[in-house]
Amino acid sequence: MQWTTAHACCNCDSDKVYRSCQEIQDFKPGAVSGVYKIHPLPSAEPIEVYCEMAIKGGGFTFLPRKLTRRSDAQQIIVALFKDKKNVLLKLQKKADRSESYTLIQPHPNFANTDFGVLANSYSGYTNPKNDFMKDYIFLGIIPKSAAQNKNYQGFRSNGETVQFTNCDKNPNSLFAFMPNHNLQQPSNYLSSSSYEDSGVAIDWRSKAISITHPDRIMPNKFFFLTELHFGGCGCYTSSNRWKKYGFHATAIGLR
């Protein structure tokens, strides 16, 4: 099968205004995955997003890197993020741009805890080490108030529990997605650690499922430099350090 990159907008010639990829799927069940223009905020400028219409029930809106530079970025995220216990991540391989996916869900110990998605903010969580880059999309897994305990923490990746024991009550529990518009060198925090050898840092990536027959390949403008920080003895890593499995960037999809 020949793969094509979804640069062309699927609905830009349409007069119909949709607020999200989920709404497109609801009104057009046969809609294919690809780039769409949506209006999450009716009174604001539209935004081009990538709609994933097949994986895990579809309806996921993938956010572009340039979203972080909009003054209404947080309002857009609030309008899009309704399913607060399911976030779809796509991982891109550097060698051939092939993609895999994983659905991130709460750890069984925190099954009733919603995720938080923020633009250029980490309110209620701990700060990403790359926040000096200024703009980012933040995925908070467990709020700071609940993560500062010595217990099993983590999340599920494609249904498999990825966990660690928080050894010192350090309440880090986050993914951060950095556009890195200025091509800055990522933080060297814990660069000599062994987190990329085993544990949370690589376990979640090992659960990713290859997309062998995609409708379209997602354009690069949806993939981010990605940071993970968990614990207290969980992990710290960023995608520039990833060696196992060949991934180098991640895209984040909400519904």
Side-chain angles (χ1 to χ4, degrees):
M1 178 178 180
Q2 185 177 4
W3 293 6
T4 57
T5 302
H7 290 299
C9 179
C10 294
N11 70 331
C12 288
D13 295 330
S14 173
D15 293 330
K16 175 66 177 175
V17 174
Y18 294 101
R19 293 173 295 181
S20 68
C21 297
Q22 182 66 71
E23 186 171 80
I24 294 172
Q25 187 180 57
D26 290 343
F27 281 91
K28 300 176 66 177
V32 299
S33 300
V35 175
Y36 288 79
K37 183 177 288 186
I38 62 171
H39 292 71
L41 306 175
S43 60
E45 287 295 312
I47 185 170
E48 280 194 3
V49 299
Y50 186 92
C51 292
E52 175 50 58
M53 299 304 202
I55 295 171
K56 297 296 183 179
F60 285 95
T61 302
F62 278 84
L63 307 175
R65 291 199 299 261
K66 67 180 182 180
L67 172 66
T68 60
R69 288 186 161 174
R70 288 185 56 148
S71 61
D72 56 0
Q74 186 59 48
Q75 294 98 306
I76 288 173
I77 287 173
V78 169
L80 294 174
F81 191 37
K82 305 302 182 184
D83 183 359
K84 296 185 178 181
K85 293 183 175 64
N86 291 281
V87 173
L88 186 64
L89 302 184
K90 287 191 177 183
L91 298 97
Q92 184 189 64
K93 288 191 174 182
K94 187 174 184 178
D96 60 3
R97 292 185 58 211
S98 61
E99 298 169 6
S100 297
Y101 72 87
T102 184
L103 185 69
I104 303 299
Q105 297 172 305
H107 186 279
N109 289 353
F110 297 87
N112 295 320
T113 301
D114 289 345
F115 293 151
V117 178
L118 304 168
N120 309 324
S121 170
Y122 55 89
S123 179
Y125 301 88
T126 58
N127 65 298
K129 297 301 181 183
N130 287 293
D131 64 354
F132 61 86
M133 294 181 181
K134 302 300 183 184
D135 53 341
Y136 52 88
I137 295 171
F138 185 96
L139 170 58
I141 302 299
I142 303 171
K144 184 177 180 179
S145 59
Q148 50 192 7
N149 293 292
K150 289 186 177 181
N151 56 5
Y152 283 118
Q153 298 179 18
F155 52 92
R156 287 187 293 155
S157 178
N158 274 338
E160 298 291 329
T161 299
V162 176
Q163 67 180 9
F164 65 99
T165 301
N166 193 327
C167 61
D168 60 5
K169 300 184 180 181
N170 205 328
N172 301 297
S173 188
L174 66 94
F175 288 72
F177 304 88
M178 312 290 177
N180 198 8
H181 296 298
N182 298 319
L183 302 180
Q184 293 172 274
Q185 183 65 30
S187 171
N188 63 1
Y189 179 71
L190 295 180
S191 59
S192 61
S193 73
S194 59
Y195 286 132
E196 275 299 312
D197 294 333
S198 62
V200 174
I202 63 170
D203 286 350
W204 77 280
R205 302 191 323 256
S206 74
K207 312 304 180 188
I209 297 173
S210 178
I211 303 173
T212 55
H213 296 288
D215 294 330
R216 293 171 174 81
I217 295 176
M218 187 184 295
N220 283 332
K221 65 183 179 181
F222 295 97
F223 286 95
F224 295 76
L225 170 73
T226 306
E227 171 184 331
L228 284 79
H229 198 180
F230 288 88
C233 301
C235 77
Y236 178 83
T237 189
S238 53
S239 54
N240 59 300
R241 304 181 187 183
W242 296 352
K243 295 180 180 178
K244 289 188 177 180
Y245 311 116
F247 302 120
H248 77 120
T250 312
I252 177 172
L254 313 176
R255 69 178 175 192

